[in-house]
Amino acid sequence: MDFNVKKLAADAGTFLSRAVQFTEEKFGQAEKTELDAHLENLLAKAECTKVWTEKIMKQTEVLLQPNPNARIEEFVYEKLERKAPSRINTEEQLAQYMNDAGNEFGPGTAYGNALIKCGETQKRIGVAHRELVQTAAINFLTPLRNFIEGDYKTMAKEKKLLQNKRLDLDAAKTRLKKARVTEARAAAEQELRITQSEFDRQAEITRLLLEGISSTHAHHLRCLNDFVEAQMTYFAQSYQYMLDLQKQLGSFPSTFVSNNNQSTLAPMQSVAVPSVSASAQAPSAKSSLVTSGFTELKASNGSRKARVLYDYDAANSSELSLLADEVITVYSMPGMDSDWLMGERGHQKGKVPITYLELLN
């Protein structure tokens, strides 16, 4: 019991001594032992590393999960050491809406079919993004978080101890200056030797620990390379998925097929979309739909070979479905709409839109 009381009294005395020394330093009433330049640089480098690591880590989390509520939920589950519930990401949510809409409008319609194809692509991109998040969390975010919550906390603890040892040293120096009698000076000198030794020892421990920052930077560099590689994989996959989708769609159709597959609405001005074929040109305004070649074909009542530019799903039995890059025979019939021709493929024939064709010589 007496030992505990004495220890508490000693701790209280030490705390008071440090508080007095710190306060007098702030008011310029006491001298302060300066750390050597190398140690000061190491402390500044460690603090700088901590600050920027936190910023990069937090912004990477925002990049991978833009929803702040989802990030908070994941943080809570992490602190509770429980697995967060699985949720679909934004790409997968969009894929679900597109698929549902496509099935509602009808997979046999041009728009419905395009929505389903887009939905399948968005789902694949969503899966790729999920893999990016998982890879980044393991190879990039976790090492950065381990530094903040592990190595840097140890550094901060040793830095705090060094600060206390310095305050003890400077307080001992102050007491030595104020000592008047021989006995008091002898005790103050002994205390100064002890505090100086403890300060030097703690400074060396702190220095050795802080010199590991260079190794931390090297480790974080490797983690950064892993993160960049994961992003490259994700963007390459996404690009390939979209390229495949573009090949499937070809271009937005110039006519909108009604959902009941019974009638075709009036042609609309098409939207220019880059074609996957170097020689193919996406349909443009109404004035460019009837080229000189098609005009001559209609006037001659003859037939020509034509290459199909884009896939086309027939809206009804009077039309002919088309596949991109196939070659068919086309000709005009009296009374036909100026935007349509008759197309033949073997024993199959039906109306085809001019905007999906390129006449061959």
Side-chain angles (χ1 to χ4, degrees), residues 129-193:
H129 188 265
R130 189 181 296 277
E131 293 175 353
L132 168 64
V133 172
Q134 293 174 346
T135 302
I138 296 172
N139 296 338
F140 188 59
L141 289 177
T142 297
L144 265 58
R145 187 175 292 108
N146 288 342
F147 166 73
I148 296 296
E149 298 179 355
D151 292 349
Y152 182 78
K153 280 190 175 181
T154 303
M155 294 177 186
K157 178 182 177 182
E158 297 301 328
K159 177 184 176 182
K160 180 64 176 177
L161 287 174
L162 179 61
Q163 170 74 352
N164 289 337
K165 296 299 182 183
R166 186 197 63 75
L167 289 172
D168 291 343
L169 173 62
D170 289 336
K173 290 179 179 178
T174 300
R175 283 191 287 272
L176 178 59
K177 288 181 180 179
K178 293 180 179 180
R180 295 289 181 262
V181 298
T182 304
E183 294 80 2
R185 289 189 61 82
E189 288 173 353
Q190 176 65 17
E191 180 187 15
L192 179 59
R193 284 193 293 271

Side-chain angles (χ1 to χ4, degrees), residues 159-351:
K159 177 184 176 182
K160 180 64 176 177
L161 287 174
L162 179 61
Q163 170 74 352
N164 289 337
K165 296 299 182 183
R166 186 197 63 75
L167 289 172
D168 291 343
L169 173 62
D170 289 336
K173 290 179 179 178
T174 300
R175 283 191 287 272
L176 178 59
K177 288 181 180 179
K178 293 180 179 180
R180 295 289 181 262
V181 298
T182 304
E183 294 80 2
R185 289 189 61 82
E189 288 173 353
Q190 176 65 17
E191 180 187 15
L192 179 59
R193 284 193 293 271
I194 295 174
T195 54
Q196 181 71 60
S197 175
E198 291 179 347
F199 170 77
D200 292 341
R201 178 175 178 275
Q202 184 59 41
E204 181 65 13
I205 292 174
T206 306
R207 181 187 65 78
L208 291 174
L209 187 63
L210 291 174
E211 285 178 345
I213 282 291
S214 296
S215 298
T216 297
H217 284 192
H219 178 53
H220 287 183
L221 175 58
R222 291 192 294 271
C223 296
L224 181 62
N225 286 332
D226 290 341
F227 178 53
V228 171
E229 184 176 345
Q231 284 187 301
M232 287 176 60
T233 300
Y234 166 68
F235 289 125
Q237 288 177 327
S238 298
Y239 174 76
Q240 187 60 52
Y241 294 155
M242 295 307 296
L243 192 63
D244 293 342
L245 176 62
Q246 186 190 46
K247 290 179 180 179
Q248 293 180 56
L249 297 181
S251 174
F252 291 106
S254 61
T255 58
F256 181 82
V257 182
S258 64
N259 291 333
N260 58 16
N261 288 343
Q262 296 299 317
S263 62
T264 303
L265 301 179
M268 299 187 300
Q269 181 170 321
S270 62
V271 180
V273 174
S275 172
V276 296
S277 173
S279 61
Q281 295 181 356
S284 57
K286 175 78 174 182
S287 60
S288 65
L289 293 179
V290 182
T291 63
S292 59
F294 287 115
T295 302
E296 293 174 1
L297 175 61
K298 287 179 176 293
S300 66
N301 292 326
S303 63
R304 292 274 296 275
K305 293 291 186 181
R307 186 173 66 86
V308 177
L309 299 178
Y310 324 109
D311 291 350
Y312 177 74
D313 295 324
N316 52 53
S317 59
S318 68
E319 298 179 7
L320 181 68
S321 294
L322 303 174
L323 295 175
D325 293 326
E326 71 171 323
V327 176
I328 63 173
T329 301
V330 294
Y331 55 92
S332 180
M333 293 183 64
M336 288 194 70
D337 188 285
S338 60
D339 294 332
W340 294 79
L341 288 172
M342 288 298 296
E344 286 190 2
R345 182 201 303 113
H347 298 292
Q348 297 177 322
K349 64 180 180 179
K351 294 192 301 180

Side-chain angles (χ1 to χ4, degrees), residues 67-103:
N67 187 338
N69 293 330
R71 292 200 304 274
I72 293 174
E73 183 182 8
E74 290 173 356
F75 175 78
V76 172
Y77 275 100
E78 180 181 346
K79 291 302 179 183
L80 295 175
E81 297 184 350
R82 294 174 58 187
K83 184 178 180 181
S86 178
R87 67 171 67 87
I88 62 175
N89 54 36
T90 54
E91 294 87 355
E92 292 170 326
Q93 183 70 67
L94 177 59
Q96 183 175 320
Y97 288 158
M98 285 184 167
N99 283 325
D100 292 346
N103 288 318

Side-chain angles (χ1 to χ4, degrees), residues 20-21 23-32 174 178:
V20 170
Q21 177 66 27
T23 303
E24 291 180 349
E25 287 176 359
K26 288 298 182 182
F27 285 99
Q29 298 172 351
E31 294 183 3
K32 175 182 176 181
T174 300
K178 293 180 179 180

